[in-house]
Every structure is written in C-alpha cells, then in structure tokens.
Amino acid sequence: MFNVLERRFNIFGFPFWPQDFFLFVICMIIGVVFVALFTVVFGRLFCGWICPQTIFMEMVFRRIEYWIEGDRGKQIRLSKQPWNAEKIRKKGLKLIIFLFISFIIANVFLAYLIGSDELISYITDNPFNHINTLISLLIFTGVFYFVFAWFREQVCIIACPYGRLQGALLDNKSIVVAYDHKRGEGENGRKKIKKNEDRQALGHGDCIDCFQCVHVCPTGIDIRNGTQLECINCTACMDECDSIMESVNLPKGLIRYASEDNIEKKAPFKITARTKGYIAVLAILTGLLIGMLFLRNDLEANVLRLPGQLYEHKADNIISNVFTYKLVNKTTRDIENVHFELLSHKGILKLVSTTNHFTVPGQQISEGTLFVEIDNAALSGDRNQIKIGIYAGDKLIETTTANFLGPRSYR
Ligand code: SF4
Ligand code: SF4
C-alpha cells in the first residue's frame, strides 16, 4: 500500500512511515542500480517480461483483440471496411470489454493507494457516499483505457524514461534480442526463398525476407536494422522467425538472445568491469539496507518541548517543563503497557489526560502531552538535555532526548 495522502506505506506486510523515508530512498537507489545492472547484462528484458504495461498489453488486451477481431490482417481489414453490423458488433464488444478491464485495473490501482480493506468497504457501501473516490476511479479507468486501447507501445517508445536510458546502458556485450546479420545477410544479402534453389551457392543469407518478424513486433520495428530503443525484448520476432526457419528447413536462432560481440566475433558472454562495478555497488547498498532494517525500532518516539512555553518554578525548588510526545507503532501488532521513564535525571514524568501506562495500537500513532519535573539543584543551567526511556512492560524499547529549560545559573 502506498497511501501518499495519509503518508502510510505497507510493503510486503511491513508498515513504513514517513520517518522511514531514508529506507525508501535506499530501496529506490537499489532498484535503480539493479535495473541498470540487469540492463547492462540482459538489455531491455524487464520491459518484455516484467513491466505491467507489456504484461497487460500482450497477455490481456491484445489477446482479447485477437479473439474478437482476428489476426493482424483481419484487424486491418476490419478497420478499413465501412461501418456495418459486423464492425459495430466487434468494435462495440471490444470497447465494452476493454472499459470493464480498465475499470478493474483502476480498482486494483486504487487499492494500492488506500488499502484493499478500505476499497472493499467503499465497494460494499453506497458509491454516492464516496463520490470523490468514484470520480477518481472513473478518471483512472479512462486513463487506463486510453493507454491500453490507443496509446499502447507509444508508452514504451515515447513516455517511458527507462526506455530512453537504453542508449546509455547498452554496449556491445549486452545480451539483447538480436538479428544475426552475418548469417541472415550472407555475402549477397537477404532474398525471398525460391523452390529448390541453392542459397549457399548464390551467397544469400538465411533471412528469406518474409517480414513476419516485423509484422509480429508490437512496437512495429524491423529488428534486422539492428538493436533499437523501441525494442522491448518481448521475443515475439524470435519465436516467429524460429517457426519460419523450421518451415524452410534452416537452423533456428536467426533472431536470438545474443550480444553484438557474440554475433560479430563469436565472443562468449563475459562479466565486464562495468558489470562488476554495478554488482559491488548493489552488494554494498543491499548490505546497508539489511543493516538498517535490523536496526529499525518497532516504535519511534519524538518528545518536543511545547512551543512558546518556558519553565514553571514550583514549590520545593522544582522546575517543570511541558512536552508533547508522538509514538509511532511501526508494527501491525499492538504494543501494550507502554510508559515513559526519565533516565538522565532524578525527577517525575507525568502524562496529561491519560493513564501513565497505555497501548499504542498496531500501525497507529499515539500523541499527547507530558510534564517533566526536576529538582533545580540537579540542573546545570538554563539548557539541559534529558533522556527519556519508553518501556513496554519492563522492556526498554526506545530512548529519546529533549531539551529541558531551567533558570539561568549564575554560580
Ligand atoms: S522472420 Fe526471420 S526470415 Fe523472416 S524476415 Fe524476419 S528475420 Fe528474415
Ligand atoms: S518483436 Fe522483436 S524487435 Fe519487436 S519489440 Fe519484440 S523483441 Fe523487440
């Protein structure tokens, strides 16, 4: 859950708070380094196999489109033909199904923002009690419909910043979906196949110029022109070319996973210095993150002096300061029997309008006001740092410090 509005985050069942922002930043940097490392070695594999845009597009929307309108040729014919009953039926059915799926995706997206429990309560309640959420949901539905029904691969080509990074990350040693131009072009270039011809003797390559790899490419590129930014490594051209090669009795793998060096020089895969550098950085950052996760306390405490308040001089030379406290329970379970103790000085610590022992519910914040009273003789001047311990039962679970004001000392 990424509840940006209430600044609550829950990742794989672990609640995170804005106070954990540094962990989030390290996670983001690890993510970026990991993707960079992955891209340097395997090219844009993420785009073809992990990115939700491709998964929804290829596994859901395009399949439905094929099911309703037929293969690419039939789709082109349907688009060109005048509006008749068949076209209205097919296009209408596609529109309704696409809108419905976009609505479901918008709901899932919303669940990431507000949490699934909240979403289910909204769904089971009267939708007009949550009209703002409903409007947002419809806007999201429109955006998803626009992306999957119309914008499609333009997201990968124009909008995606990761796609734009490819040029900087890939090199001759990166493994990408590549056309073996040496084999495909031969000495005299590619040529359509003819029955019983001896292509080797004629010096033609194995590419029979059938254009199937271009037709199946979701981003509409011709991989035979070399690695291009638009290629999302979906391997559709690889599969298609393999089946063409099989049908003309030529070896498969004319389009395959390979590096430029592998095709040009038959060089095997090697871990380069750049890859080793990324691995080292990734290992350091991951170690740092694991260490920080272990050091992360279940409860975070903040005690601050009430703004604008000085101190109060009480009977028996006792100095009193008033503070506000905020306890953040970063776990999903309740922390019971919580109480404060003054660790640095002899004195009294009293909570206002609550019992001194209380419960901080799971994933919740407890806030309040407290008084600290210390004998003036124990203070060293007007500014003193006090240390407060927060206990759950007998166990010290967190410590925090605060500034305690006293009278100026002229000793
Ligand atoms: S599918 Fe293979 S044989 Fe056909 S044009 Fe593409 S690379 Fe050449
Ligand atoms: S079909 Fe081939 S060229 Fe087109 S995006 Fe997929 S892998 Fe790249």
Side-chain angles (χ1 to χ4, degrees), residues 280-346:
V281 173
L282 194 62
I284 292 168
L285 286 172
T286 310
L288 191 71
L289 179 70
I290 292 171
M292 283 177 154
L293 283 174
F294 273 110
L295 290 175
R296 179 178 178 257
N297 279 348
D298 286 353
L299 186 116
E300 180 158 325
N302 271 306
V303 177
L304 295 170
R305 238 169 16 81
L306 203 62
Q309 295 285 321
L310 288 172
Y311 60 89
E312 192 184 342
H313 210 139
K314 295 181 130 181
D316 300 327
N317 210 19
I318 296 293
I319 305 297
S320 170
N321 276 204
V322 60
F323 296 88
T324 58
Y325 70 85
K326 186 171 174 179
L327 302 181
V328 181
N329 182 348
K330 294 181 178 177
T331 68
T332 48
R333 63 187 160 76
D334 296 351
I335 301 179
E336 289 170 351
N337 208 6
V338 174
H339 58 106
F340 294 90
E341 276 181 30
L342 193 56
L343 300 178
S344 55
H345 294 71
K346 259 192 167 176

Side-chain angles (χ1 to χ4, degrees), residues 165-176:
L165 266 179
Q166 300 303 304
L169 294 173
L170 296 183
D171 61 18
N172 284 357
K173 291 171 186 68
S174 306
I175 297 172
V176 289

Side-chain angles (χ1 to χ4, degrees), residues 83-142:
W83 284 96
N84 56 16
E86 187 205 2
K87 187 167 176 175
I88 292 171
R89 183 173 49 80
K90 286 185 174 171
K91 294 276 179 198
L93 182 63
K94 191 172 91 170
L95 175 102
I96 292 167
I97 295 179
F98 276 17
L99 273 175
F100 178 68
I101 297 172
S102 301
F103 183 69
I104 292 176
I105 297 174
N107 272 272
V108 175
F109 183 71
L110 187 66
Y112 273 107
L113 290 179
I114 61 171
S116 49
D117 294 342
E118 194 88 351
L119 178 72
I120 289 167
S121 77
Y122 283 11
I123 292 171
T124 46
D125 197 6
N126 181 349
F128 291 101
N129 291 343
H130 312 280
I131 195 74
N132 289 341
T133 312
L134 186 64
I135 291 170
S136 315
L137 204 58
L138 294 177
I139 292 172
F140 282 135
T141 304

Side-chain angles (χ1 to χ4, degrees), residues 177 213 216-223 228 230-238 255:
V177 173
C213 52
V216 293
C217 177
T219 57
I221 57 167
D222 188 342
I223 191 70
Q228 291 146 74
E230 291 82 357
C231 176
I232 54 167
N233 277 25
C234 71
T235 69
C237 54
M238 240 166 86
I255 302 175

